[in-house]
């Protein structure tokens, strides 16, 4: 039935866009009606045709522009130059922390200084510079200036420390590191092991005693640098722009390659799909080292000329005051932020703003209507898509709980599919012909996108480490001989083609807005505990988004020094990756292929009435692990214990 309705949409799309004769369309419609369920088919068709045609038109518009920019060898700096030319004195960026306003002309001049300074220091197109700082206007100006020179920025997650930070710097092959003064202590921790040839520059407040030796203060150097436009590099629309580090599904963070066309595609699909306007003002409190904050948010400034308000970090108590102060019309979120806002006591400011759209991902169906109605936000613009993926989704008509939709219309220009998968192992289930099996409504499956490298909308640029790409690509998915990108996420589709997110149960889970690699955490714990049998998985906690990390540790004697263990974890893992719960048990059961059997562990979770093994939880106030008894469990269940 869904297939029939989607094909009808495709026929009308063919008529409206491809200009096929009505006789051909009408005859095909009659055949479809007779063979696809009669009135039930008509009901689905009526409910989906407007959505599907609109989605098709959005894709067609973006595809047309992408093809044009591909021919013209456009880049993000060149698209930004057009915006500067249109309105140089319009406000481009506002940093809430210091109430600093930059016009497009000022952002252009600052980024020119960055490009000219780096060029004078011997950097050229193809070089890499690592950027490690918290949110502020300079973050945008720095990577944009690098792009004007053809230098590729490696955007470092500010939560990274020690081995993970060193790994990201090493794999990027950066020739220079620009860090904010607030990150100086983290750089000092790894300074002794860094390549001596790595140039170090500190931006922000300057205190020589707090930075590594041979570090230069960047701000005065940029003030002295020329502000003229640098000569454009020999780069085109599908060349590298920068790298964003993602935990992926295994191992240490990996550098996802973002090319200019991918940056534009993500910006444009959101802009046209959610009917944004050039005069919108975006409130961006998400980290700029991730794609949501730096592409979906800041990209609206650089490509479409919007004003973007940047906040250093999210603040539930200041959120609506900021929106009122800066006349914001669009706010960005991840699901966790929405729940934090709902947990705040009611205040007048939450109904006095001008916000018309909340843009983001991960808003749970259970709080969707409450969030929209309490804060008087008419449009929730939920989207889905990892930094490196080629199958992003958009919930263009604000369907409650959906992260997007799947339609046969879009398969002409945007082939995506939900395919059957073993939820525990994430292994694709195939039919007798060896091709993946499409999901029917109600069946959970993994979202995949067909890879077509010559098409900027369908290409997969992958990771800087080419060895990591094979884990994200599958063969014979839509048909024999093809390739498709694997999202690693389990979704479920309803009768109308709307897709709903289900928490990952494979090798990653999400906590505090970040994806956590279970394999990476298992490796760290095994090393610290000097044992190999450690299984890490995510568990649900009432009143929180995502899943909290839990580690099952095979230790019959339970002889671990938990106080020292907690102190060491602070240095080894970012806060979102540290296990909240520890379970010590005599042994861990494995599958025939020597993988830990986590399904039963996840089901038992941390309930002391079910789990008879010793369980501990990370007390946020004490900073150490303490026994989890029934009283503590009750507090956690009631949301009275901060995790």
């Amino acid at each position: 039935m869904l297939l029939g309705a989607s094909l009808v949409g495709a026929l009308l799309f063919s008529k409206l866009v491809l200009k096929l004769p009505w006789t051909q369309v009408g005859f095909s419609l009659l055949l479809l009606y007779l063979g696809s369920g009669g009135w039930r088919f008509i009901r689905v068709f009526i409910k989906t045709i407007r959505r599907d045609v609109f989605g098709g038109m959005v894709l067609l518009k973006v595809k047309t522009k992408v093809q044009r920019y591909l021919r013209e060898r456009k880049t993000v700096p060149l698209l930004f130059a057009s915006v500067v030319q249109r309105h140089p004195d319009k406000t481009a960026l506002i940093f809430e922390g210091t109430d600093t306003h930059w016009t497009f002309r000022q952002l252009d001049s600052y980024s020119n200084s960055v490009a000219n300074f780096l060029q004078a220091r011997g950097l050229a197109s193809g070089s890499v510079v690592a950027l490690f700082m918290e949110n502020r206007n300079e973050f945008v100006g720095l990577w944009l200036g690098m792009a004007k020179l053809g230098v590729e920025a490696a955007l470092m997650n500010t939560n990274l420390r020690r081995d993970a930070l060193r790994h990201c710097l090493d794999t990027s092959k950066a020739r220079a590191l620009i860090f904010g003064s607030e990150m100086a202590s983290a750089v000092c921790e790894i300074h002794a092991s860094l390549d001596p040839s790595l140039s170090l520059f500190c931006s922000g407040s300057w205190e020589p005693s707090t930075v590594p030796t041979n570090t230069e203060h960047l701000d005065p150097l940029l003030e002295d640098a020329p502000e003229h436009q640098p000569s454009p590099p020999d780069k085109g629309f599908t060349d590298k722009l920068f790298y964003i580090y993602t935990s992926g599904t295994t191992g240490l963070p990996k550098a996802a390659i973002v090319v200019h066309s991918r940056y534009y595609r993500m910006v444009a699909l959101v802009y046209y799909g959610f009917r944004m306007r050039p005069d919108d003002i975006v409130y961006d409190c998400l980290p700029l080292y991730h794609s949501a904050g730096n592409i979906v948010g800041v990209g609206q400034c650089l490509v479409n000329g919007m004003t973007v308000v940047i906040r250093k970090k999210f603040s539930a108590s200041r959120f609506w005051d900021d929106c009122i102060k800066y006349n914001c019309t669009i706010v960005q979120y991840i699901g966790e932020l929405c729940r934090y806002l709902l947990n705040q006591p009611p205040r007048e400011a939450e109904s006095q703003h001008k916000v018309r759209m909340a843009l983001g991902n991960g808003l749970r169906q259970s709080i969707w209507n409450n969030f929209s109605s309490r804060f008087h936000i008419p449009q929730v613009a939920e989207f889905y898509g990892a930094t490196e993926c080629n199958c992003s989704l958009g919930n263009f008509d604000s369907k409650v709980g959906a992260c997007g939709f799947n339609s046969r219309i879009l398969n002409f220009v945007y082939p995506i599919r939900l395919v059957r998968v073993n939820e525990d192992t994430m292994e694709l289930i195939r039919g007798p012909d060896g091709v993946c099996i499409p999901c029917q409504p109600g069946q959970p499956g993994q979202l995949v996108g067909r890879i077509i490298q010559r098409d900027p909308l369908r290409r997969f640029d992958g990771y800087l480490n080419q060895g990591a790409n094979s884990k994200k690509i599958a063969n014979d998915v839509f048909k024999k001989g093809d390739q498709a990108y694997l999202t690693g996420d389990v979704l479920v589709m309803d009768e109308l083609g709307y897709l709903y997110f289900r928490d990952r149960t494979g090798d990653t889970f999400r906590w505090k807005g970040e994806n956590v690699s279970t394999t990476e955490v298992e490796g760290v714990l095994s090393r610290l505990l000097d044992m190999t049998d450690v299984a890490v998985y995510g568990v649900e906690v009432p009143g929180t988004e995502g899943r909290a990390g839990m580690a099952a540790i095979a230790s019959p004697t339970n002889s671990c020094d938990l106080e020292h263990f907690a102190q060491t974890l602070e240095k080894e893992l970012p806060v979102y990756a540290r296990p909240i719960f520890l379970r010590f048990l005599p042994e861990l059961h494995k599958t025939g292929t020597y993988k830990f059997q986590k399904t039963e562990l996840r089901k038992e979770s941390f309930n002391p009435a079910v789990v008879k093994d010793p369980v501990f939880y990370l007390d946020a106030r004490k900073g150490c692990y303490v026994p989890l008894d029934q009283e503590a469990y009750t507090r956690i269940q009631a949301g009275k214990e901060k995790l």
Side-chain angles (χ1 to χ4, degrees), residues 115-231:
N116 291 320
F117 167 74
L118 293 177
Q119 187 174 46
R121 289 300 182 100
L123 291 152
S125 181
S127 300
V128 177
V129 172
L131 183 56
F132 188 47
M133 66 167 52
E134 293 179 340
N135 288 7
R136 56 179 183 264
N137 292 356
E138 286 82 0
F139 187 104
V140 180
L142 284 165
W143 76 253
L144 180 61
M146 296 176 201
K148 287 184 174 183
L149 188 61
V151 169
E152 298 148 14
L155 308 182
M156 301 288 164
N157 185 323
T158 54
N159 291 296
L160 297 176
R161 294 294 184 274
R162 298 204 174 188
D163 288 348
L165 177 58
R166 187 186 303 107
H167 166 82
C168 291
L169 283 170
D170 290 344
T171 56
S172 72
K173 294 181 170 54
R175 292 181 53 188
L177 167 62
I178 297 175
F179 62 94
S181 54
E182 69 280 2
M183 308 309 301
S185 61
V187 178
C188 286
E189 286 182 339
I190 64 170
H191 178 237
S193 62
L194 294 178
D195 188 331
S197 66
L198 181 71
S199 300
L200 300 177
F201 302 98
C202 177
S203 174
S205 59
W206 178 248
E207 179 53 57
S209 63
T210 64
V211 299
T213 54
N214 300 322
T215 299
E216 297 181 73
H217 191 197
L218 181 65
D219 300 350
L221 297 174
L222 293 181
E223 289 175 4
D224 294 338
E227 295 183 356
H228 61 77
Q229 289 283 353
S231 301

Side-chain angles (χ1 to χ4, degrees), residues 333-399:
Y333 70 85
I334 53 176
E336 294 90 328
L337 305 192
C338 300
R339 193 180 292 276
Y340 295 151
L341 291 172
L342 285 170
N343 288 340
Q344 289 286 301
R347 5 187 352 245
E348 289 185 8
E350 67 187 42
S351 60
Q352 295 175 341
H353 56 78
K354 298 179 181 178
V355 175
R356 66 178 183 85
M357 180 193 303
L359 171 69
N361 52 68
L363 180 56
R364 294 299 183 88
Q365 190 166 357
S366 58
I367 64 172
W368 187 298
N369 285 331
N370 191 13
F371 176 80
S372 179
S373 60
R374 173 177 165 179
F375 301 125
H376 308 283
I377 301 178
Q379 182 183 3
V380 175
E382 176 88 2
F383 65 89
Y384 165 87
T387 302
E388 72 279 8
C389 86
N390 68 345
C391 48
S392 302
L393 302 171
N395 183 353
F396 295 154
D397 53 356
S398 295
K399 174 70 173 178

Side-chain angles (χ1 to χ4, degrees), residues 245-469:
Y245 283 83
T246 173
S247 63
T249 56
T250 59
L252 289 163
K254 298 187 290 293
I257 299 170
V258 178
V259 299
H260 294 265
S261 62
R262 178 172 297 278
Y263 191 97
Y264 174 78
R265 186 204 77 186
M266 294 176 71
V267 171
L269 287 174
V270 167
Y271 181 83
Y272 294 112
F274 295 121
R275 299 179 175 89
M276 293 181 174
R277 302 189 290 257
D279 60 347
D280 276 320
I281 299 176
V282 179
Y283 185 68
D284 187 351
C285 58
L286 304 181
L288 297 184
Y289 55 74
H290 274 341
S291 55
N294 200 21
I295 303 179
V296 176
V298 168
Q300 306 306 331
C301 165
L302 303 183
V303 174
N304 295 314
M306 292 185 196
T307 298
V308 173
V309 180
I310 296 173
R311 204 179 202 285
K312 179 180 176 181
K313 290 182 178 179
F314 165 76
S315 168
S317 61
R318 292 291 308 167
F319 192 91
W320 300 114
D321 293 323
D322 289 346
C323 290
I324 293 171
K325 179 178 180 179
Y326 298 111
N327 296 310
C328 298
T329 57
I330 298 174
V331 295
Q332 286 191 267
Y333 70 85
I334 53 176
E336 294 90 328
L337 305 192
C338 300
R339 193 180 292 276
Y340 295 151
L341 291 172
L342 285 170
N343 288 340
Q344 289 286 301
R347 5 187 352 245
E348 289 185 8
E350 67 187 42
S351 60
Q352 295 175 341
H353 56 78
K354 298 179 181 178
V355 175
R356 66 178 183 85
M357 180 193 303
L359 171 69
N361 52 68
L363 180 56
R364 294 299 183 88
Q365 190 166 357
S366 58
I367 64 172
W368 187 298
N369 285 331
N370 191 13
F371 176 80
S372 179
S373 60
R374 173 177 165 179
F375 301 125
H376 308 283
I377 301 178
Q379 182 183 3
V380 175
E382 176 88 2
F383 65 89
Y384 165 87
T387 302
E388 72 279 8
C389 86
N390 68 345
C391 48
S392 302
L393 302 171
N395 183 353
F396 295 154
D397 53 356
S398 295
K399 174 70 173 178
V400 174
C403 60
F405 65 95
N406 189 14
S407 165
R408 295 293 175 178
I409 290 180
L410 310 186
N411 276 340
F412 292 105
V413 291
Y414 203 65
I416 65 172
R417 182 172 291 174
L418 202 63
V419 297
R420 298 285 303 278
V421 66
N422 181 315
E423 288 189 70
D424 282 328
T425 65
M426 296 304 291
E427 183 179 356
L428 300 174
I429 299 174
R430 299 177 180 273
D433 59 356
V435 175
C436 293
I437 303 173
C439 289
Q440 298 302 312
Q443 292 179 331
Q446 183 173 181
L447 185 70
V448 299
R450 180 182 291 166
I451 297 173
I452 305 173
Q453 285 301 112
R454 66 180 180 277
D455 183 352
L457 287 179
R458 308 303 321 134
R459 62 183 285 138
F460 173 63
D461 298 293
Y463 303 100
L464 191 58
N465 176 9
Q466 291 299 312
N469 291 333

Side-chain angles (χ1 to χ4, degrees), residues 228-242:
H228 61 77
Q229 289 283 353
S231 301
D234 184 22
K235 286 214 171 189
F237 202 44
T238 55
D239 286 322
K240 295 175 184 175
L241 175 59
F242 54 57

